[in-house]
């Protein structure tokens, strides 16, 4: 008999496939099935890519697979292809891509289908067996038999144990043929229940046009960009488009940003639909994730909602893919397999032949450019739903103003007026903690993180210096380590300091601080939202956690203390991201019947970017940014890849990237290597090499050649290096 070999993708950083012997006693698995193999001194589970009769590996070196776990592929063909495509596109090892795509428990060998429940029940003989005979001498067995006779559908072991019926007793009965241990089939994947729990809203003309456009493309690949201001009813369109998909017996996949998967998002879907909703996000345990994955794969769940990695959830009958807040940075994975879930969503829709709907009030420049070039169909919503009016923007010129803890007089007056009217105020400051700098007033010394090129943030309760980059914490010094002075002062503002100031200034108004520190406990955020909703006039102080997704109907004033740093920051994407943040925060204001006001404090009131953003709107702002990007051949008009290297040795990263740059062929432009903007982080030195190409295929081809050369470099194992295709932040 000819020998057969398995080609496997294994979770390993090596960019290669692995060959194993298929023992004669095992049936050849289909591509996409899981296979257990020895790997080093351990076992691993890999994904079968194919079965061959030849291998280039000398046979003495080959080991045999130990177990075939599946008789059918774990992932449907479209997802299998998506994973392979992503591995190529991001130049990432395929085994690790599968590792991201599959729930942890499946990677550990759990069955794909729900195994159903194992139960004890009586056999036919057990039903009829006389209880006045020999069995009377075994009272435990008698008791067990009688109990099971009362439960013709059988009982699960834990329940039997709770009646004091143990396994040896049951085994004895089994030996006599009186009871059996059976698997009851898992619930049949039924068609998703249809129908609405609550009626849809009647749509505005704009909403109606958008919905009809999406519905008209059922059953074909068609990308849409739904560009609608905050509160314009985008979610309502998702809900109604999903209803149409469910009506046709299909499933919808909805991706939301990490922060957007607050319980109320899911609640809104649950309130509308009868259909089962599978929810996948990091807050769920592995068992729950697997169950949700199974519900999606079997077709039982009509709707699948999840964060980034949910893009890899299999669907039995895909009908529509939605990416809400498509500009959100959390869709890009920032380490390991650095994929962009939005981009994969578009690719997946193409493979599944379904429409894909990207929605945002502040679309990414990439998606806007795609829409302007006609690759995506643009759907606009320019009015707020339910008659609410758009918030008005006003700049407060900070130059020469006297500031109290970062607040100008006009801003304080506006806050007072809002509270007096019984309404709520949202103060946005994108820095948690008390103050970003601890400074010696006598000699100018500043606290510095020992492991990073960064200043640690001063936090209080307990008072400590906390580096947000490496996580290290220490007690702040009492005396200046440089001159011994005790005049150490916190400089700059964080949420805690703003909280202190506002509490003292407006002692009667309840204050809610929303940032990573105040929401660490499970359910803390839900409780905060709840308290904010039931409060009367109140102050909300928070970071971007406050900016996204959530509606605060009583907020009529939004204050942005200082965004100059972000808007005019160093990274070429900084203005885009800051503009998105400003509009998202602003969108929290005046959602209900009362109009909202947004006050922006700035030292640069005449800056054209700011002017465009708040007067002409995001469209005009995006036009200017796109024009700048075009002139510089930056995305979306050029294509980037970033190679990062780091090491505890200060010289190595730069030297290594120099070698990488020399290994490169024409067709790419290389910028650098340069030390990273924060050269030292968590005790390691970091450097960057940015690669740029004018066309995507050129970048792809060059990277495919470059990566094996990098791997062959002598230092490739001595530095930590990574490749980031389409990097979102260059820090
Ligand atoms: P977005 O997702 O664009 O921020 P939402 O879909 O959340 O907007 O809508 C904002 C608010 O308006 C919600 O409270 C929603 O229930 C309501 N709404 C949306 N569409 C309509 C409509 N056609 N008629 C009445 N109310 C609507
Ligand atoms: Zn000093
Ligand atoms: Zn640090």
């Amino acid at each position: 008999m000819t020998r057969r070999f398995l080609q496997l993708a294994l979770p390993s950083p090596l960019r290669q496939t692995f060959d194993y012997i298929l023992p004669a006693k095992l049936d050849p698995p289909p591509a996409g099935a899981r296979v257990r193999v020895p790997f080093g001194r351990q076992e691993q589970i890999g994904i079968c890519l194919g079965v061959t009769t030849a291998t280039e590996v000398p046979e003495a070196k080959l080991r045999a697979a130990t177990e075939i776990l599946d008789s059918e592929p774990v992932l449907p063909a479209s997802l299998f292809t998506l994973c392979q495509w992503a591995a190529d596109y991001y130049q990432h090892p395929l085994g690790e891509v599968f590792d991201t795509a599959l729930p942890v428990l499946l990677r550990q060998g759990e069955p794909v289908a729900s195994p159903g429940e194992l139960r004890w029940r009586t056999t036919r003989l057990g039903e009829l067996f006389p209880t006045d005979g020999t069995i009377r001498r075994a009272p435990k067995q008698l008791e067990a038999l009688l109990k099971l006779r009362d439960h013709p559908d059988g009982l699960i072991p834990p329940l039997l144990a709770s009646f004091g019926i143990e396994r040896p007793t049951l085994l004895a009965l089994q030996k006599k043929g009186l009871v059996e241990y059976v698997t009851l089939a898992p619930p049949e994947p039924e068609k998703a229940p249809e129908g609405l729990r609550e009626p849809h809203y009647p749509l505005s003309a704009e909403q109606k046009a958008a919905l009809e456009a999406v519905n008209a493309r059922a059953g074909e690949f068609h990308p849409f960009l739904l560009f609608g201001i905050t509160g314009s009813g985008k979610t309502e369109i998702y809900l109604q488009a999903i209803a149409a998909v469910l009506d046709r017996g299909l499933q919808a996949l909805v991706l939301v940003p990490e922060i957007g998967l607050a319980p109320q998002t899911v609640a809104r879907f649950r309130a509308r639909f009868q259909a089962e909703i599978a929810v996948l996000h990091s807050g769920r345990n592995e068992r729950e994730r697997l169950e949700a994955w199974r519900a999606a794969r079997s077709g039982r769940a009509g709707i699948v909602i999840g964060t980034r990695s949910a893009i890899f959830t299999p669907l039995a009958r895909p009908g529509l893919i939605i990416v809400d807040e498509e500009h959100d940075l959390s869709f890009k994975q920032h380490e390991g397999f650095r994929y962009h879930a939005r981009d994969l969503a578009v690719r997946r829709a193409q493979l599944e032949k379904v429409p894909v709907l990207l929605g945002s009030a502040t679309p990414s420049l990439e998606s806007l450019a795609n829409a302007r070039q006609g690759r995506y169909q643009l759907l606009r919503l320019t009015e707020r739903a339910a008659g609410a009016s758009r918030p008005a923007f006003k700049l407060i010129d900070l130059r020469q103003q006297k500031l109290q803890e970062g607040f100008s007089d006009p801003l304080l007056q506006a806050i007072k007026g809002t509270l007096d009217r019984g309404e709520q105020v949202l103060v946005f400051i994108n820095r948690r903690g008390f103050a970003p700098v601890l400074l010696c007033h006598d000699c100018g010394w500043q606290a510095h993180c020992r492991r990073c090129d960064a200043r640690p943030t001063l936090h209080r309760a307990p008072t400590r210096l906390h580096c947000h980059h490496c996580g290290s914490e220490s007690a702040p010094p009492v005396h200046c380590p440089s001159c011994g002075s005790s005049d150490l002062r916190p400089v700059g503002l964080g949420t805690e300091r703003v909280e202190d100031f506002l509490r003292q200034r407006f002692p009667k108004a309840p204050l809610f601080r929303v940032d990573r520190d105040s929401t660490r406990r499970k359910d803390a955020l839900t409780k905060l939202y709840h308290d904010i909703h039931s409060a009367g006039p109140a102050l909300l102080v928070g970071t971007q956690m406050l900016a996204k997704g959530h509606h605060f109907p009583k907020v009529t004033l939004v204050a942005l203390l200082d965004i100059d740093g972000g808007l005019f920051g160093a990274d070429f994407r900084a203005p885009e991201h800051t503009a998105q943040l400003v509009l998202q925060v602003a969108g929290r204001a005046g959602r209900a019947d009362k109009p909202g006001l947004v006050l922006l404090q700035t030292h640069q009131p005449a800056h054209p970017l700011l002017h465009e953003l708040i007067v002409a709107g995001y469209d005009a702002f995006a036009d200017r940014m796109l024009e700048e990007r075009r002139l510089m051949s930056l995305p979306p008009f050029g294509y980037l890849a970033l190679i990062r290297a780091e090491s505890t040795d200060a010289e190595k990263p730069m030297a290594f990237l120099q070698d990488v740059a020399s290994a490169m062929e024409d067709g790419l432009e290389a910028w650098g290597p340069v030390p990273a903007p924060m050269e030292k982080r968590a005790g390691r030195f970091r450097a960057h090499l940015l690669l740029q190409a004018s066309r995507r295929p050129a970048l792809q081809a060059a990277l495919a050649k470059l990566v094996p050369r990098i791997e062959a470099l002598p230092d490739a194992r001595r530095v930590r290096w990574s490749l980031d295709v389409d990097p979102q932040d260059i820090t």
Side-chain angles (χ1 to χ4, degrees):
M1 209 178 106
T2 47
R3 287 279 236 171
R4 280 178 305 187
F5 305 97
L6 295 172
Q7 251 178 0
L8 301 182
L10 287 171
S12 144
L14 302 176
R15 289 173 171 80
Q16 61 165 81
T17 57
F18 296 84
D19 289 358
Y20 280 84
I21 295 167
L22 176 67
K25 62 176 200 287
L26 297 182
D27 287 333
R34 289 170 303 160
V35 181
R36 196 189 298 276
V37 294
F39 192 76
R41 282 195 211 136
Q42 291 164 336
E43 285 204 318
Q44 284 274 23
I45 292 180
I47 300 287
C48 175
L49 303 175
V51 181
T52 62
T53 52
T55 169
E56 283 163 18
V57 184
E59 207 156 315
K61 287 197 166 175
L62 285 175
R63 302 171 77 181
T66 42
E67 188 188 357
I68 308 290
L69 291 161
D70 307 299
S71 55
E72 53 174 325
V74 181
L75 295 173
S78 57
L79 261 188
F80 190 73
T81 310
L82 183 74
C83 287
Q84 287 178 311
W85 183 86
D88 285 345
Y89 184 83
Y90 293 104
Q91 302 287 334
H92 198 77
L94 180 57
E96 289 195 346
V97 173
F98 284 129
D99 224 33
T100 300
L102 291 173
V104 168
L105 291 179
L106 284 183
R107 287 187 254 139
Q108 293 170 356
E110 291 244 354
V112 166
S114 182
E117 271 178 350
L118 281 164
R119 300 175 184 213
W120 289 98
R121 70 173 179 198
T122 52
T123 59
R124 236 181 110 58
L125 181 62
E127 282 299 316
L128 307 170
F129 196 74
T131 50
D132 51 357
T134 51
I135 199 165
R136 294 199 75 94
R137 270 178 269 135
K140 279 192 176 174
Q141 291 183 26
L142 180 60
E143 187 198 346
L145 184 64
L146 292 175
K147 186 57 105 187
L148 287 173
R149 276 190 188 174
D150 288 344
H151 295 90
D153 290 335
L155 289 171
I156 54 175
L159 208 55
L160 284 161
S162 73
F163 296 131
I165 300 172
E166 302 294 344
R167 196 171 141 82
T169 315
L170 294 159
L171 289 173
L173 284 171
Q174 189 181 33
K175 236 176 159 179
K176 295 180 179 153
L178 301 181
V179 302
E180 57 187 356
Y181 194 41
V182 290
T183 308
L184 293 191
E188 274 298 291
E190 338 158 358
K191 211 161 147 293
E194 284 155 34
L196 302 177
R197 279 188 215 279
E198 61 173 25
H200 293 311
Y201 281 107
L203 296 181
S204 69
E206 279 182 332
Q207 282 178 313
K208 200 151 174 278
L211 179 68
E212 280 169 4
V214 176
N215 287 346
R217 298 298 182 148
E220 61 177 293
F221 169 61
H222 195 84
F224 293 95
L225 176 61
L226 177 59
F227 177 7
I229 60 170
T230 45
S232 59
K234 295 183 290 296
T235 310
E236 188 60 34
I237 293 178
Y238 305 153
L239 293 171
Q240 301 201 19
I242 290 170
V245 165
L246 294 177
D247 273 348
R248 300 204 317 281
L250 304 178
Q251 296 166 282
L253 172 63
V254 184
L255 297 187
V256 294
E258 251 149 41
I259 224 158
L261 202 49
Q264 40 285 45
T265 313
V266 178
R268 203 163 158 196
F269 281 76
R270 289 207 205 285
R272 186 69 58 92
F273 296 106
Q274 308 260 352
E276 179 174 337
I277 300 177
V279 181
L280 288 135
H281 62 84
S282 53
R284 317 211 75 190
N285 68 35
E286 293 307 333
R287 180 62 50 193
E288 292 170 324
R289 292 177 74 95
L290 178 60
E291 286 314 322
W293 186 92
R294 282 171 172 160
R297 184 179 187 272
S298 72
R300 208 178 71 220
I303 303 170
V304 180
I305 308 181
T307 46
R308 183 173 61 221
S309 65
I311 188 56
F312 296 107
T313 315
L315 299 173
R317 299 179 302 274
L320 174 66
I321 300 177
I322 293 170
V323 183
D324 187 27
E325 311 285 2
E326 65 87 35
H327 65 278
D328 195 89
L329 287 176
S330 72
F331 288 123
K332 169 88 175 176
Q333 171 120 326
H334 286 286
E335 57 199 16
F337 172 32
R338 294 172 163 81
Y339 66 98
H340 201 306
R342 174 200 61 221
D343 297 347
L344 287 186
V346 175
R347 180 72 189 129
R348 178 163 181 195
Q350 193 175 28
L351 292 166
E352 310 266 24
K353 302 190 180 58
V354 299
V356 55
L357 181 55
L358 311 179
S360 176
T362 52
S364 63
L365 294 181
E366 277 80 359
S367 296
L368 266 185
N370 275 323
R372 291 193 180 156
Q373 289 155 16
R375 278 196 293 272
Y376 295 175
Q377 184 175 342
L378 183 64
L379 308 169
R380 289 296 308 252
L381 301 179
T382 57
E383 298 291 324
R384 281 192 156 185
S389 54
R390 301 173 74 147
F393 279 88
K394 262 198 206 150
L395 293 179
I396 296 178
D397 184 351
L398 284 182
R399 288 170 303 179
Q400 284 139 34
Q401 286 257 14
K402 199 162 90 3
L403 294 182
Q404 302 177 58
E405 300 290 66
F407 287 78
S408 62
D409 265 348
L411 178 55
L412 287 170
Q413 273 159 25
I415 292 174
K416 180 169 186 308
T418 309
L419 293 172
D420 287 348
R421 283 195 305 277
E423 296 158 8
Q424 296 182 345
V425 179
L426 187 162
V427 177
F428 172 81
I429 168 133
N430 214 9
R431 199 181 287 121
R432 66 196 169 92
F434 189 78
V437 180
L438 184 66
L439 174 85
C440 172
H441 193 59
D442 284 335
C443 78
W445 170 88
Q446 293 184 7
H448 208 275
C449 176
R450 268 180 296 126
R451 309 178 65 213
C452 308
D453 289 330
R455 289 182 294 234
T457 301
L458 185 69
H459 286 247
R460 42 132 236 239
T463 304
R464 66 198 198 278
L465 286 169
H466 182 180
C467 175
H468 292 178
H469 302 284
C470 70
S472 67
E473 290 186 23
S474 58
V478 182
H479 297 286
C480 170
S482 173
C483 74
S485 157
S486 57
D487 193 1
L488 295 175
R489 298 185 182 183
V491 178
L493 290 179
T495 46
E496 292 177 349
R497 190 171 198 170
V498 170
E499 173 185 359
D500 279 6
F501 171 68
L502 290 176
R503 274 195 199 283
Q504 166 227 323
R505 179 81 192 214
F506 302 100
K508 281 204 240 71
L511 186 144
F512 303 96
R513 178 162 63 86
V514 183
D515 58 26
R516 280 244 300 283
D517 299 313
S518 72
T519 55
R520 235 173 257 285
R521 267 175 303 113
K522 191 172 185 295
D523 298 332
L525 189 58
T526 310
K527 177 164 182 333
L528 268 170
Y529 284 153
H530 178 267
D531 292 350
I532 292 169
H533 276 266
S534 40
L539 292 156
L540 285 54
V541 174
T543 58
Q544 55 175 334
M545 286 190 94
L546 271 181
K548 298 187 182 172
H550 201 81
H551 304 184
F552 298 106
K554 291 180 192 157
V555 170
T556 54
L557 174 64
V558 170
L560 295 103
L561 289 189
D562 176 15
I563 53 140
D564 289 357
L567 202 52
F568 317 119
D571 184 343
F572 75 88
R573 289 189 202 270
E576 174 189 357
H577 294 154
T578 306
Q580 288 163 349
L581 197 52
V582 168
L583 293 184
Q584 297 286 338
V585 181
R588 306 304 110 200
R591 312 253 320 180
D593 46 343
K594 295 176 182 133
L597 174 64
V598 182
L599 292 176
L600 265 125
Q601 300 193 131
T602 177
H603 281 100
Q604 306 201 40
H607 198 290
L609 270 181
L610 207 46
H611 177 83
E612 239 144 24
L613 184 59
I614 67 167
V615 179
Y618 188 76
D619 260 337
F621 169 84
D623 275 340
R624 173 187 288 265
M625 294 306 301
L626 279 170
E627 185 52 24
E628 279 181 18
R629 300 264 188 104
R630 199 177 61 77
L631 291 174
M632 300 199 293
S633 297
L634 285 169
F637 303 99
Y639 300 90
L640 298 181
L642 180 64
I643 302 180
R644 298 182 175 92
E646 57 175 63
S647 162
T648 49
D649 179 329
E651 312 294 325
K652 276 237 159 69
M654 285 292 285
F656 172 72
L657 291 181
Q658 199 66 59
D659 292 346
V660 172
S662 329
M664 222 170 59
E665 278 172 64
D666 293 351
L668 281 191
E669 217 171 326
W671 300 90
V674 293
M678 185 185 299
E679 186 176 5
K680 190 171 153 213
R681 191 163 81 191
R684 309 177 73 89
F685 295 87
R686 307 152 73 237
H688 286 173
L689 177 66
L690 187 65
L691 308 178
Q692 185 178 26
S694 54
R695 292 186 339 107
R696 203 190 287 284
L699 180 68
Q700 287 296 312
L703 289 178
K705 276 195 206 143
L706 182 59
V707 167
R709 290 183 198 164
I710 300 179
E711 287 180 321
L713 287 176
D715 269 348
R717 279 152 200 265
R718 286 192 279 262
V719 300
R720 233 191 250 169
W721 69 275
S722 64
L723 170 63
D724 190 352
V725 177
D726 303 334
Q728 289 299 305
D729 73 286
I730 316 254
T731 53

